[in-house]
Amino acid sequence: MAANEIVDGIWRYPIKSMMGEEVQVAEVTARGLAGDRAYAFVDRASNRTAAVRTWASGFMSYRATYAEEPRAGQPAPAVRITSPDGETLMTSQPDIDERLSERFDRRLSLTSHAPAGLLIEFPAGTLAGAASELTEAPLAGGAPEGTFFDLACIHLVGTSTIDHLKSVYPQGDVDVRRFRPNIVIQTEGEPFVENTWAGRRVAIGDQVVLKMTIPCPRCVNVTLAQDGLPRAPQLLRGIAQRNMVDLGAVGRLPCVGVYADVLEPGPIRQGDAIRWLD
């Protein structure tokens, strides 16, 4: 890997499926970045979390930002929610469930801990192979219990991959926000280098060590409009044409980025050096 690889960006998403916030510094814990996916809205009738692949696609038009900095090991502070029409709500206000339920015509509950049996929905065909007809699965299959991650608690992507997709799909306004990473690594050279990271350990800054697991499969999320980015209906097809990866039981899927587990926690900062340990 290149000697000048550094942390180019750090992102966290206070409420699952809503827009997130870029930060200069973050605390990496065993449960991911402090404050990342700390809250979620759950459909009380189905015990399914709001996921933008289905009825909650409108969540991508809501911005979630912390009113104060979250701290590792502490309850998440209140989050400010800014709606597409500019209305500001707070997760701490007593009628927050009713306000969001009214907007999405569902009985929603804001929660900071995934209830037992919580499922995530997705359209048939999101997965592949023997799993191609599945439309739901347990949430956070590869992350600590009680978290709201789709699969794993850390997600990384390289800038060379984003730059490549910008060049081949300029009409799609390709932006790193479409891919919802936690850590953006400044990379040079070939796109989809993240495929080669799977199984490797990486040190970030002075303390943090991550173990890369599998490439990150992509779905319709990357095509949705958000915060000045228009719909990009052909982007997912473009990724599929360039980077289909065999993910075993779920088949071959279009991938951008890689998931990771936390081996050693600690702080990270934009500009931190990246050191590959194997």
Side-chain angles (χ1 to χ4, degrees), residues 53 122-128 131-132 134 217-220 250 253-254:
R53 302 171 187 84
F122 42 81
T126 298
L127 303 180
S132 62
L134 289 180
R218 294 298 169 178
C219 63
V220 69
V250 296
L253 293 171

Side-chain angles (χ1 to χ4, degrees), residues 192-209:
F192 309 115
V193 66
E194 304 93 338
N195 295 349
T196 70
W197 295 350
R200 302 181 65 186
R201 294 175 303 138
V202 64
I204 303 178
D206 297 328
Q207 298 180 39
V208 172
V209 178

Side-chain angles (χ1 to χ4, degrees), residues 89-107:
L89 306 170
M90 295 294 296
T91 56
S92 55
Q93 64 189 68
D95 64 344
I96 188 63
D97 289 354
E98 289 73 19
R99 299 291 291 274
L100 266 292
S101 294
E102 181 180 0
R103 284 177 172 264
F104 286 88
D105 195 27
R106 288 173 180 258
R107 294 176 62 243

Side-chain angles (χ1 to χ4, degrees), residues 117-176:
L118 185 63
L119 299 173
I120 186 169
E121 293 179 279
F122 42 81
T126 298
L127 303 180
S132 62
E133 296 304 312
L134 289 180
T135 58
E136 61 185 26
L139 194 66
E145 183 179 352
T147 58
F148 296 111
F149 302 102
D150 284 2
L151 183 63
C153 61
I154 297 286
H155 167 212
L156 303 93
V157 70
T159 57
S160 58
T161 297
I162 303 301
D163 291 344
H164 173 74
L165 292 172
K166 287 179 180 179
S167 69
V168 298
Y169 190 43
Q171 71 273 30
D173 286 331
V174 176
D175 187 285
V176 72

